[in-house]
Every structure is written in structure tokens, then in C-alpha cells.
Amino acid sequence: MRITKSWHSHIFLAIWISITVTTQSLSLDSQEENLFPPTNITLKMNIFKLHWAWESRNDTCQIKYNVCVATEKSSRTSCRSHKSFLSWHEVKTSIFNLNERIHFKVHAECSDGKRKSEEAKLSTFLLSGDPNTAVTNFRCVWYNKEYIKCTWLPGKSASPNVNYTVLYWQENENSKMELKVPHPALFHEFLNTAKFCRPYLYKDGIPEGCLFEISNIVEELQFVVADLSNKSITPFYSWMIPVKMLQLAPPVITNISKIDQYTIYARWNVSGRKMDHVETEINLTTLNTGKSIIASVKGQNWMELKANHNEPYTINVRSRIYHYDSNHPWSEWSANMTGSGESGYWTTNVILAILIPAAVTLLMVFSIVCMKRLHSYIFPPIPDPRKSFGGTNNLRQFMKYKSAEDVWTMPEKEEICSVVLVESTPSSSLEE
Ligand SMILES: *[C@@H]1O[C@H](CO)[C@@H](O)[C@H](O)[C@H]1NC(C)=O
Ligand SMILES: *[C@@H]1O[C@H](CO)[C@@H](O)[C@H](O)[C@H]1NC(C)=O
Ligand SMILES: *[C@@H]1O[C@H](CO)[C@@H](O)[C@H](O)[C@H]1NC(C)=O
Ligand SMILES: *[C@@H]1O[C@H](CO)[C@@H](O)[C@H](O)[C@H]1NC(C)=O
Ligand SMILES: *[C@@H]1O[C@H](CO)[C@@H](O)[C@H](O)[C@H]1NC(C)=O
Ligand SMILES: *[C@@H]1O[C@H](CO)[C@@H](O)[C@H](O)[C@H]1NC(C)=O
Ligand SMILES: *[C@@H]1O[C@H](CO)[C@@H](O)[C@H](O)[C@H]1NC(C)=O
Ligand SMILES: *[C@@H]1O[C@H](CO)[C@@H](O)[C@H](O)[C@H]1NC(C)=O
């Protein structure tokens, strides 16, 4: 509580900014060689750029300045050497996280590199107040090229009646914006060019999402999230380049089917896009076990997945654009589509299950008949002496097949039988 009150007093005293200028003076012993460091560093800014300027003393050599800008937490440091004599430095605000302390340092150097000055530094914090009242997880996407959609979560210490408002600026406003000395309510000075993002999502009365249409798609957008009627709510700065944050509409699954016992085929549609540079994740859940696997595929709108035998399953998919240089957001998950795990495959299976045993049985019956006949050719029945000459037919048969040669010159009809026998296993054991 005391902390909050002290912040209040800060606000009413309008102490918005903390600036530390550290210029290290020259140590006398070494060096008349050393140059004088830059002095009186000042920062001015608007929503799109930060502008530092400094003063320097005349010196005997041609001077250049080396500058570095960094923020507190990110490891990113942007350094530059100004080749010509130039006593100011400008960067885009989108390079840095404006919610963190910004560190600037500069030193002078002779162009021949032989002499240089100590560093002069300026450290600036744009915000004041309890950082836990600012929004968190702020994120904007360009949804299906239709509109910009931003979402966030309220800060932990924000009051329950907090009214977060999202202001945005398009980059073409940049040239019209004057540079101002920064202070924690700086964005108020640019309200005349700001546009309002329309809230659409509320939770417990607190706005947590907003959207707006944009006409020009390539430019950068800058955001400030603040409560315009409560200065104790710490503002939050953010930015985006819409073409790098394009979110696809959720894909539509158009076909799932089991193409064989262990393979599911899935096909989907991504609205308004060819599939190149589209990556899709497929979530396959086996319903009996509740286990799910995620597979991913690039550049195509179908995939074959391994599946358990005959188990019902659910599939949903999501897509995103991938590029070597940008991380586009995933779409929402598609609607789920559920398969029985049996369809298509089951019918063929039933047919095969009936056909194969039937065919085998037929073949066996046929083989047995043939074998019996062959058996009678090799071991012809001994003619009944009582009937031996009783039937001319019997005698003829006996005479015809008594020699082995005769077996191989069987009538055409029987030849088919012998072929069947040679090919089937029982016949080979017979032959041996
Ligand atoms: C520092 O710079 C500001 C703005 O450029 C100027 O008004 C001020 O006089 C300078 N101070 C010194 C000590 O040079
Ligand atoms: C710097 O030197 C130039 C010429 O050498 C002179 O015209 C100028 O007034 C000097 N500036 C300062 C601040 O001494
Ligand atoms: C403004 O916000 C602070 C911090 O969340 C809260 O304590 C205060 O009650 C709010 N004031 C109004 C008028 O809502
Ligand atoms: C929230 O702020 C917006 C923008 O300032 C305003 O239009 C709206 O009326 C406010 N809502 C409430 C409930 O105060
Ligand atoms: C779904 O895919 C399967 C396998 O490729 C195919 O046999 C079937 O005809 C498709 N169904 C539809 C409705 O496209
Ligand atoms: C898939 O998308 C294409 C064009 O993108 C469309 O012609 C087709 O009808 C869609 N198919 C389904 C099943 O929605
Ligand atoms: C995949 O789907 C299942 C059930 O629909 C769900 O429980 C699981 O969380 C999903 N996995 C992911 C990574 O979304
Ligand atoms: C669809 O899947 C999600 C998880 O991916 C799950 O939370 C949801 O309940 C499922 N919906 C239906 C209708 O099965």
C-alpha cells in the first residue's frame, strides 16, 4: 500500500522520468591524448523513434562517435559508428522493448582510431507506477487478412474495474509526429493521431481483447495499452508488422478415412491459400485410451498417419505460414472430426475374410479329388479275377496305365490334375 501511495505522490509531483547522466571525467595522469567525452546527452522521442543528441568540444582531430543502445533484460545491443561528424543518433522504437529501461552510451574517437574519449551514458525509463498493473501476454495477429486482433491478460495488481484501452498508430503518422521529451504519460501527447482498437472480448467486465481493420497492410503498427481514466495503471508499449503476424483461419478437415488396417488418411482445406509455405499440425487422439500424437507436415494438405487397429479416433488440425525469417502464429485448431476406425477397411476385410477361406476350401476339395484319382493311376486297382474279362472297359484301363510312361501320357483332362498336385505341398512329399 505504501508503495502505491508513494507512486501516487510521484505522479502528482509529475516526476515521470528517471534520467541518469554519467559522464566520466578525464583522469589527468595519462592523457592529454584522451579526447573530451560528449556531454549533455538528451533524449527526445515520438511513438516511432528515439532520438539522442549530445554536445562535444572541438578537438584537434577529425572526430567520429560510436554509440550503443540496449535495454535492461534483452541481450540485444545495437551499436553504430557514425562515420561523419554527427552529434545525434536515431533508432526505431520497434527495435527495443520500451517497457524496459533503455541504456544509451556514446564515446568520441579520432577517425584514425588513435585517441578516444571515455563513455558518456544516459539511462531512461519511460514508465512509472506499479509494473504489475500493466497488461501481460499482449499479442496481436492479423487474422486471415481481415482484421488485427489483440489479446492480453490484466496485470496482477490492476483494480477489478480497470478499463484497458488499446491505442494504435500507423507508421505513416510518423512524419507528422514531433519529437518530445519523454515522460510516463508521453502517449497523451500523441492522442490526436491515435486510433482506438475496438474491445470485443471481456472477462469479469475487464476488456481482454480488441480488434480493428487496416487498409494498408505493409506498415508497422505501434500500440499503447493504458487506462485513460486511471493514471495508476502503468501503460504498456508494443508494436507489430502485420504481414509478419498473419494468422490463418482454422483449416477445415474435408476427409478422414482408414486406407488400410493401420493407416489413417486425413485431408484438409486452408482457406484462401495454396499450400506452399503452410505448415500443418495434426492432432490424432485415440478415443479409447485418450492418447494423442501430434504430427506435422509442410507444403501439403493431406497426410497419412499410423493408427491402432480398428479403434475410433478424433483428428483436429491447425496451420501456420512458415518463413525462414519470421514466426507466424498458429491458427486456432480446426473442428474435430471423428472416425470409427473401421470404415472402408472393414468392408474389404469382411469380404476377404469370407473369400479366402472359401477359396482355400475349394482348392482343398479339388486337390483331394485329384489326389484320389492320381493314386488310382499309380496303384491301379487289381482287377477282380472274377470280373477280369467281364468288362472290356476295365481291362483296357489296366492295359493302358500299367507302365510308368503311361502316367505321363495321360489324357488332357487328367493332366490338369497332375499340375495342381505338383504345385501343392502334399504332392511333393508324395513324389519323394
Ligand atoms: C543541454 O542541451 C539542452 C538542449 O539541447 C540545452 O537547452 C542546454 O542548455 C544544454 N546544457 C548545457 C549545459 O549545455
Ligand atoms: C570549433 O572550431 C571551429 C573551427 O575550428 C570554430 O569555428 C568553432 O567556433 C569551434 N567551436 C567551439 C564550440 O569551440
Ligand atoms: C486506479 O488503479 C489503481 C491500481 O489498480 C486502483 O487502486 C485505483 O482504485 C484505481 N482508481 C480508480 C478511480 O479506478
Ligand atoms: C473504457 O475506456 C474507453 C476509452 O476511453 C471508453 O470509451 C469507455 O467508455 C470506458 N468504459 C468504461 C466502462 O469506463
Ligand atoms: C477420402 O479419401 C479416401 C482415401 O483417399 C478416398 O477413397 C475417398 O473417396 C475420399 N472421400 C471423399 C469424400 O473425398
Ligand atoms: C477447398 O478449397 C478450395 C479452394 O481453396 C475449394 O475450391 C474447395 O471447394 C474446398 N473444399 C472443401 C471441401 O471445402
Ligand atoms: C489433441 O487433442 C486431444 C483431444 O481432442 C487433446 O486432449 C489434446 O490436448 C490435444 N493436443 C494438443 C497438443 O492440442
Ligand atoms: C475437440 O478437441 C478439443 C481438444 O483438442 C477438445 O477440448 C474438445 O472437447 C473436442 N471437441 C469435441 C466436440 O469433441
Side-chain angles (χ1 to χ4, degrees):
M1 283 308 276
R2 237 183 286 144
I3 292 168
T4 323
K5 268 185 188 155
S6 91
W7 282 120
H8 271 271
S9 63
H10 273 78
I11 288 147
F12 293 122
L13 288 168
I15 302 170
W16 295 109
I17 188 155
S18 81
I19 295 178
T20 333
V21 182
T22 326
T23 47
Q24 270 138 4
S25 53
L26 294 169
S27 48
L28 284 172
D29 58 315
S30 55
Q31 300 135 19
E32 32 173 25
E33 282 182 35
N34 272 4
L35 301 178
F36 289 104
T39 56
N40 198 11
I41 306 172
T42 53
L43 169 63
K44 285 188 174 184
M45 68 181 289
N46 64 24
I47 294 291
F48 287 93
K49 63 187 175 200
L50 298 159
H51 178 105
W52 288 270
W54 56 89
E55 282 160 17
S56 64
R57 289 204 232 156
N58 266 356
D59 242 304
T60 47
C61 69
Q62 173 103 42
I63 284 177
K64 65 174 183 175
Y65 291 103
N66 292 319
V67 298
C68 286
V69 185
T71 47
E72 194 91 0
K73 287 174 199 149
S74 74
S75 53
R76 172 155 195 192
T77 305
S78 151
C79 290
R80 244 196 94 177
S81 175
H82 288 288
K83 290 217 165 63
S84 58
F85 184 93
L86 192 67
S87 58
W88 56 270
H89 181 68
E90 214 166 74
V91 296
K92 296 181 75 171
T93 51
S94 53
I95 299 178
F96 299 102
N97 183 350
L98 298 187
N99 306 294
E100 293 177 12
R101 187 174 285 276
I102 302 162
H103 300 292
F104 175 83
K105 56 187 186 185
V106 55
H107 72 262
E109 193 177 306
C110 289
S111 338
D112 60 11
K114 280 181 183 156
R115 292 191 297 154
K116 60 183 187 177
S117 76
E118 299 288 337
E119 271 176 351
K121 296 175 185 169
L122 174 66
S123 163
T124 311
F125 191 46
L126 294 178
L127 307 165
S128 72
D130 182 356
N132 286 329
T133 57
V135 293
T136 61
N137 294 41
F138 184 80
R139 191 177 90 130
C140 298
V141 298
W142 188 26
Y143 180 79
N144 203 26
K145 295 191 179 178
E146 289 168 27
Y147 48 82
I148 304 285
K149 184 176 79 174
C150 301
T151 52
W152 60 87
L153 294 174
K156 272 181 282 175
S157 319
S159 56
N161 64 348
V162 62
N163 181 16
Y164 290 117
T165 299
V166 179
L167 305 163
Y168 70 93
W169 290 262
Q170 301 192 22
E171 199 174 11
N172 58 12
E173 308 284 359
N174 187 0
S175 53
K176 297 178 220 157
M177 284 182 179
E178 254 182 273
L179 292 169
K180 309 255 184 181
V181 175
H183 58 89
L186 178 76
F187 68 90
H188 279 277
E189 307 206 15
F190 300 103
L191 277 182
N192 60 331
T193 47
K195 295 194 174 77
F196 286 76
C197 183
R198 207 165 59 243
Y200 77 95
L201 178 66
Y202 291 86
K203 196 174 171 203
D204 302 328
I206 299 178
E208 288 192 4
C210 70
L211 49 81
F212 60 93
E213 286 85 38
I214 47 166
S215 47
N216 190 343
I217 59 170
V218 287
E219 56 193 352
E220 177 187 309
L221 294 165
Q222 286 286 342
F223 297 94
V224 172
V225 191
D227 188 331
L228 297 179
S229 58
N230 187 345
K231 286 181 176 166
S232 301
I233 303 296
T234 305
F236 183 84
Y237 287 90
S238 188
W239 61 276
M240 81 182 288
I241 295 171
V243 287
K244 292 194 171 182
M245 290 298 284
L246 179 57
Q247 184 186 41
L248 300 170
V252 177
I253 300 175
T254 54
N255 185 356
I256 55 172
S257 50
K258 207 91 183 261
I259 52 175
D260 66 38
Q261 195 172 357
Y262 296 108
T263 314
I264 292 169
Y265 171 87
R267 193 180 186 89
W268 56 89
N269 241 17
V270 177
S271 77
R273 272 202 83 88
K274 286 187 222 143
M275 291 310 290
D276 50 333
H277 292 294
V278 173
E279 177 181 8
T280 303
E281 267 186 4
I282 300 97
N283 178 359
L284 170 68
T285 307
T286 308
L287 291 177
N288 293 350
T289 59
K291 274 189 194 151
S292 50
I293 55 156
I294 303 277
S296 111
V297 67
K298 284 180 173 175
Q300 62 189 39
N301 66 342
W302 59 270
M303 195 184 190
E304 286 177 6
L305 298 140
K306 289 267 163 289
N308 287 339
H309 173 54
N310 283 354
E311 287 194 28
Y313 59 92
T314 268
I315 283 180
N316 57 1
V317 300
R318 63 175 186 173
S319 297
R320 73 167 173 188
I321 298 162
Y322 67 91
H323 269 295
Y324 61 93
D325 69 336
S326 54
N327 248 346
H328 286 265
W330 284 106
S331 72
E332 301 291 326
W333 285 99
S334 72
N336 304 342
M337 196 177 254
T338 300
S340 65
E342 299 174 341
S343 56
Y345 162 73
W346 186 234
T347 359
T348 31
N349 196 31
V350 167
I351 292 166
L352 287 180
I354 294 166
L355 274 185
I356 291 173
V360 169
T361 317
L362 268 174
L363 199 67
M364 277 173 66
V365 169
F366 190 54
S367 305
I368 288 163
V369 171
C370 286
M371 272 165 66
K372 272 197 168 167
R373 297 197 75 170
L374 185 65
H375 190 265
S376 61
Y377 299 147
I378 298 169
F379 309 105
I382 295 154
D384 188 345
R386 285 169 294 173
K387 284 186 183 175
S388 58
F389 303 102
T392 42
N393 265 3
N394 275 358
L395 179 62
R396 237 190 292 156
Q397 226 169 12
F398 176 61
M399 299 301 289
K400 196 171 178 186
Y401 300 126
K402 67 181 176 199
S403 69
E405 265 175 302
D406 285 333
V407 174
W408 303 111
T409 54
M410 279 184 294
E412 227 176 87
K413 203 174 78 189
E414 275 83 9
E415 229 166 56
I416 298 162
C417 279
S418 79
V419 169
V420 168
L421 279 168
V422 167
E423 279 180 354
S424 66
T425 359
S427 82
S428 41
S429 55
L430 253 182
E431 278 170 350
E432 280 164 18

